[in-house]
Amino acid sequence: EFVAPQVKQLYGIDVSGEMLARASVRLGHLPNVELREGDGWTLPLPAESVSLVFSHIVLQHTPRRVTRSYFRDVLRVLQPGGHFVFQLPEAVPGAPPDPPEDDTFEMRFWREEDAHAALAGLGYEWVECRRFPVHSPLLDFNQLRLHVRKPSA
């Protein structure tokens, strides 16, 4: 509801029909908002159809192979020069190992270098990485806010 007035079209995508129903209650009155259910691996959008993909507190819960699939599909849906902004928790001493593949609740911690390599390997251009501290009873760590761009044609 804060972003929609600033953009031509806003797509809200989630794997949960329940969360989409809640979003519809809150955002259904906005004419430029379209909500879509996704599979978590790909984005239900046409190729080169959006200028920005923003993901918050999603990819930290997905297995690495799913996250890498998502990175590939974001590149597909971005227009040339389009931006991808998302966050991942930074691997720090004491961070737990990855949970089992079927666990989509516990977090997976990433080293900035590993995220950079995965994204660069797909052809993204690096824009920046910012760190935001998180203090919890179990572990202090940083959320990495990563910003990459699809190269212009």
Side-chain angles (χ1 to χ4, degrees):
E1 77 197 324
F2 303 108
V3 175
Q6 310 302 318
V7 298
K8 180 179 172 184
Q9 180 70 40
L10 179 71
Y11 298 100
I13 300 170
D14 203 296
V15 298
S16 167
E18 179 183 338
M19 293 309 293
L20 289 169
R22 288 182 185 189
S24 181
V25 168
R26 185 169 175 173
L27 305 173
H29 67 285
L30 298 169
N32 65 331
V33 173
E34 186 176 331
L35 302 173
R36 296 182 178 186
E37 190 164 350
D39 61 11
W41 291 76
T42 60
L43 294 167
L45 296 168
E48 298 189 350
S49 61
V50 297
S51 59
L52 171 68
V53 173
F54 178 77
S55 178
H56 184 65
I57 308 181
V58 173
L59 299 176
Q60 67 188 24
H61 297 292
T62 58
R64 290 178 195 278
R65 64 188 175 89
V66 175
T67 303
R68 287 184 177 96
S69 172
Y70 191 80
F71 290 170
R72 279 190 296 279
D73 209 51
V74 169
L75 193 63
R76 179 187 67 80
V77 303
L78 280 175
Q79 298 165 348
H83 296 264
F84 179 27
V85 179
F86 62 99
Q87 59 66 230
L88 293 169
E90 184 174 25
V92 296
D98 281 3
E101 286 270 320
D102 63 346
D103 183 332
T104 57
F105 178 75
E106 296 297 332
M107 294 194 304
R108 287 149 177 91
F109 292 81
W110 286 71
R111 293 181 331 129
E112 179 184 350
E113 302 81 33
D114 295 337
H116 188 279
L119 294 157
L122 294 171
Y124 284 100
E125 294 174 349
W126 193 258
V127 176
E128 72 173 345
C129 175
R130 296 182 62 197
R131 287 171 168 78
F132 296 89
V134 175
H135 303 289
S136 76
L138 299 177
L139 181 69
D140 290 341
F141 63 96
N142 293 313
Q143 283 287 7
L144 302 175
R145 196 205 59 199
L146 302 152
H147 180 181
V148 294
R149 175 178 41 238
K150 181 176 183 173
S152 297

